[in-house]
Amino acid sequence: QVQLVESGGGSVQAGGSLRLSCAASGRTFSDLSLTWFRQAPGKERQFVAGITWTGISTRYGESVEGRFTISRDNAKNMLYLQMDNLKPSDTAVYYCAATYKTTSQGIIAAENMDYWGKGTLITVSS
């Protein structure tokens, strides 16, 4: 089992920045591929960013490419999402998810994830 706990959510004005964190426990962190998803009210869950267990490959959703940066710190068992130039359309609940050693293609699919955090809300005002 893996436990994931997100933090860093909050309210920010458009153009601002936030950094989300996800603390993982329960399994060898370095074996986990990790992904951020988000879900806005009334909308489907959306892939945001993912990083493979090796840390070599990262993927980004089209709407966040160039504004968000995913990273991991295996020594601290932490996953991060640096979000810059935030837009009102980024308003959503953000979820950290994990699975065991998947590929750079596998990290973009929610159905591949085995473990999920409870989410943290980001609200971006115009």
Side-chain angles (χ1 to χ4, degrees):
Q1 285 290 333
V2 174
Q3 292 77 44
L4 302 171
V5 180
E6 303 95 338
S7 61
S11 299
V12 64
Q13 289 192 326
S17 298
L18 283 174
R19 188 175 84 152
L20 300 184
S21 299
C22 175
S25 61
R27 191 165 186 171
T28 303
F29 184 78
S30 58
D31 288 343
L32 297 174
S33 291
L34 300 151
T35 302
W36 290 99
F37 292 89
R38 68 186 183 187
Q39 188 164 20
K43 296 188 177 181
E44 293 186 354
R45 184 168 47 195
Q46 180 185 41
F47 167 76
V48 176
I51 185 167
T52 56
W53 62 282
T54 61
I56 293 175
S57 297
T58 57
R59 300 283 300 273
Y60 293 93
E62 187 175 321
S63 61
V64 307
E65 182 88 53
R67 299 187 297 121
F68 290 10
T69 304
I70 190 171
S71 62
R72 63 189 296 160
D73 185 338
N74 287 354
K76 296 181 178 180
N77 287 6
M78 294 292 292
L79 175 71
Y80 303 103
L81 184 69
Q82 177 65 39
M83 304 183 294
D84 297 318
N85 191 20
L86 283 159
K87 304 176 180 180
S89 56
D90 295 317
T91 296
V93 176
Y94 285 70
Y95 298 92
C96 172
T99 189
Y100 179 68
K101 288 187 176 179
T102 193
T103 65
S104 59
Q105 184 63 30
I107 56 176
I108 69 172
E111 57 266 30
N112 289 342
M113 300 296 121
D114 297 311
Y115 308 102
W116 292 83
K118 294 184 177 181
T120 187
L121 176 64
I122 301 295
T123 302
V124 184
S125 58
S126 57

